Amino acid sequence: MATATEKTFYLETFGCQMNAHDSEKVIGTLRQEGYRQVETEDEAGLILYNTCSIRDKAEQKVFHRLNDYKALHKAGKRFGVLGCVAQQEGEKIFERAPYVSLVSGSASYRKLPEMLSRLEAGETRITGLDDRQTDETFETEFTARQNPYRGYITIIEGCDKFCSYCVVPFTRGKERSRTSTSVLEEAKRIADLGYTEIQLLGQNVNSYRDPEGKCSFAELLVRVGQVPGIRRVRFTTSHPRDFTRDIVEAIDAHPTLCDHVHLPVQSGSARVLKAMAREYTPEWYLERIAWVKSAKRSISLSTDIIVGFPGETDDDFIQTMDLLAQVQYDCVFAFKYSARPNTPALVMIDSIPDVEKSKRLQALLDRQREIQRPNYSKHIGEVMEVMVEVQNPARGQISTRSSQNKTVNVTWAQPIAPAPGSYMRVRITASHPNSLIGEVV
Ligand code: 5AD
Ligand code: SF4
């Protein structure tokens, strides 16, 4: 139970891995400012939501959540909205939810200590809305790592690509990379904490440009993989425009770099890609895929797709389906187009009815399931190294991950399971379209 003078906070995170890691940094900052993290809203003096606005549904979830907890304001609690909805809606949040005292986008988190002091002094309309002006990155040595098996490092913040559907360039500010020196220092700190897996993060992680000019993105991958103690390096999300062949060569030459590339294509139609301002054609994209497929290692591929973009015809959609068959991804994240504030696509008529979007989404997911089925069953009989992520001995299984980023559920009969982050060798005994089943060898 919190005492009257104790500063406590509850933080809930919505959205992507960038947000999950931002929250780790925010938690570290709050602790440094003397706050203690608690598990429930009831126990907390300060309630924070780190929000996502990538699609309308994500944004609505935040406002519903704020509404649910309105009554807590009367109990003297303070509210803060962080992240993408905060940046997007700005001061309008104070009108919609007058009990909110703090609104801050991710580009302003470095000012959190100052904003917290103002909050403690009783101010009720505190904003950190840097928009696209700031060149600064948010780096802190106090990151409170919440993920027990994976250490995240943001290497590049913001986005300058302005794909016509995407809100990120408006919510996360302009593109800015950290120095490779500071990235490598953080990688060493992560290894010292006992982590063996690092995931490099950025909206367009491979657009990374070292401000010190010491290394390219591919070289940075290699150097992070050479940090003593590090056994697995992942990175997300890559943009096809900046995907270079040396990334594939680096993965081929360095087994610590995981054999998996997430390369969002969004659509298989040249016409739709043009309207999306993706600045590549399907052929150009498929050339990058051919590089990945020509590697000596078997590199797994995954992607993001948007269905029902304004003006997407049946024929455009069929081209996306054909691209799935051609590439043979191991995992696809597919979304119905959602019109977002400020984005260039907002002027295009969101012409596809929701039922049609749903129909296309379902058809795509069904097709992808059938593509994955034989590709997962190919692993049966194989012995591979996996890392434990979630222990669930009660269900007789533990959830692990392969270097290729495939989920491998390992049969486990003993009462005590190996800790998250430990490695084991397993033989694959069965497969599902989205996961593998294995037993310890
Ligand atoms: N509508 C639907 N999906 C979107 N994404 C980004 N913006 C939108 C939008 N307005 C998807 C893209 C991106 C992923 C993170 O979210 O596929 O790669
Ligand atoms: Fe959502 Fe994009 Fe913000 Fe991540 S960066 S939380 S995906 S809007």
Side-chain angles (χ1 to χ4, degrees), residues 66-126:
L66 276 170
N67 215 25
D68 288 348
Y69 287 94
K70 195 159 57 178
L72 288 173
H73 177 58
K74 299 202 183 74
K77 297 181 190 296
R78 315 292 300 276
F79 285 85
V81 179
L82 310 178
C84 294
V85 176
Q87 184 63 48
Q88 181 189 296
E89 296 299 302
E91 295 181 358
K92 279 187 273 174
I93 292 180
F94 295 133
E95 287 157 37
R96 247 179 114 167
Y99 42 94
V100 169
S101 307
L102 167 70
V103 170
S104 172
S106 63
S108 303
Y109 290 163
R110 63 185 190 287
K111 297 187 209 148
L112 266 176
E114 179 215 320
M115 292 191 276
L116 289 168
S117 308
R118 290 169 54 196
L119 192 72
E120 287 158 25
E123 272 190 60
T124 53
R125 290 285 180 271
I126 305 158

Side-chain angles (χ1 to χ4, degrees), residues 149 386-393 395-402 406-412 417-422 424 435-436:
Y149 52 85
V386 293
M387 185 208 253
V388 177
E389 288 192 347
V390 185
Q391 305 163 297
N392 201 346
R395 282 185 50 219
Q397 265 187 353
I398 44 184
S399 177
T400 74
R401 193 165 294 278
S402 72
K406 290 183 173 130
T407 298
V408 183
N409 291 310
V410 178
T411 315
W412 193 265
S422 45
M424 50 171 68
S435 63
L436 300 170

Side-chain angles (χ1 to χ4, degrees), residues 54-55 165-166 264 266 304-306 335-340:
I54 194 85
R55 283 168 289 275
Y165 52 81
C166 189
Q266 312 300 359
D304 293 345
I305 305 266
I306 296 175
F335 313 97
K336 292 192 274 185
Y337 170 72
S338 164
R340 305 312 296 132

Side-chain angles (χ1 to χ4, degrees), residues 16 53-56 164-168 203 237 262 264-266 278 303-307 309 333-340 343:
C16 62
S53 65
I54 194 85
R55 283 168 289 275
D56 188 54
S164 63
Y165 52 81
C166 189
V167 81
V168 171
Q203 289 305 329
T237 289
H262 182 66
V265 65
Q266 312 300 359
R278 291 290 286 176
T303 201
D304 293 345
I305 305 266
I306 296 175
V307 299
F309 186 78
F333 301 92
F335 313 97
K336 292 192 274 185
Y337 170 72
S338 164
R340 305 312 296 132
T343 58

Side-chain angles (χ1 to χ4, degrees), residues 53 65 96 111 123 174 190 285 314 341 345:
S53 65
R65 201 95 182 91
R96 247 179 114 167
K111 297 187 209 148
E123 272 190 60
K174 70 175 162 209
I190 287 178
Y285 178 88
D314 283 338

